[in-house]
Amino acid sequence: MKCTPSLPLGRACSFSRKDECIPAEDEDYSAFSPPPVQGLVLAAGVSGQVNHTLLGHLALAFACRLNALIDFDGVLGYPTPRDQTREVADLDRARALVASLPGTVREVTYDTGGGDRWIRHVGDQEFLSAWLQHPHFHLVK
């Protein structure tokens, strides 16, 4: 799908792509029963608060319609790029931010490719609805 110039999205966007690799072998979805078996990838391909908000509302609409979880593909509230000297304190702040909102969020672990494990947040519709209203709302880039 191409965006028309009248939409405040920038130059290009892609809003849906089926992802048949969910969960991948290295991802731990044991906190979910049953675990997801397929995904729908939503991406704007451009930055900016307007784009994050629009994409967040689109994800919420799909999640409600499909009774699905939302995989944020990263750690919400975590600064990027990762700074190893601040990692523990930043992760604690990100976890506190997520815990302060209603709904359910779980940390899904995965291999980073360098032999380490890292996490990303996966939440429910109630959480995304509250996160969309939070003053620091943004999506992971």
Side-chain angles (χ1 to χ4, degrees):
M1 171 182 160
K2 286 281 188 183
C3 294
T4 62
S6 62
L7 293 176
L9 293 176
R11 293 181 294 279
C13 65
S14 167
F15 283 122
S16 65
R17 184 181 86 227
K18 201 165 136 180
D19 187 346
E20 297 177 6
C21 300
I22 293 183
E25 290 182 21
D26 67 328
E27 297 170 336
D28 179 10
Y29 281 90
S30 62
F32 302 100
S33 178
V37 295
Q38 191 170 21
L40 179 64
V41 178
L42 304 175
V46 291
S47 292
Q49 188 62 37
V50 169
N51 299 306
H52 283 235
T53 301
L54 179 61
L55 192 58
H57 282 284
L58 183 62
L60 182 59
F62 272 110
C64 291
R65 175 75 178 195
L66 301 172
N67 194 29
L69 297 169
I70 301 95
D71 184 338
F72 294 97
D73 199 30
V75 180
L76 295 172
Y78 194 86
T80 55
R82 287 173 45 181
D83 177 352
Q84 298 295 331
T85 61
R86 299 179 357 189
E87 189 168 304
V88 172
D90 287 340
L91 188 54
D92 288 344
R93 277 191 292 280
R95 285 176 168 152
L97 169 68
V98 168
S100 73
L101 296 170
T104 302
V105 173
R106 299 285 184 256
E107 293 179 355
V108 171
T109 61
Y110 64 93
D111 292 333
T112 63
D116 294 327
R117 300 282 291 168
W118 190 238
I119 60 170
R120 66 173 181 266
H121 286 130
V122 177
D124 64 8
Q125 300 154 27
E126 182 183 9
F127 174 81
L128 177 54
S129 182
W131 181 226
L132 278 162
Q133 303 308 312
H134 193 277
H136 299 294
F137 168 77
H138 68 280
L139 298 175
V140 178
K141 295 181 183 183

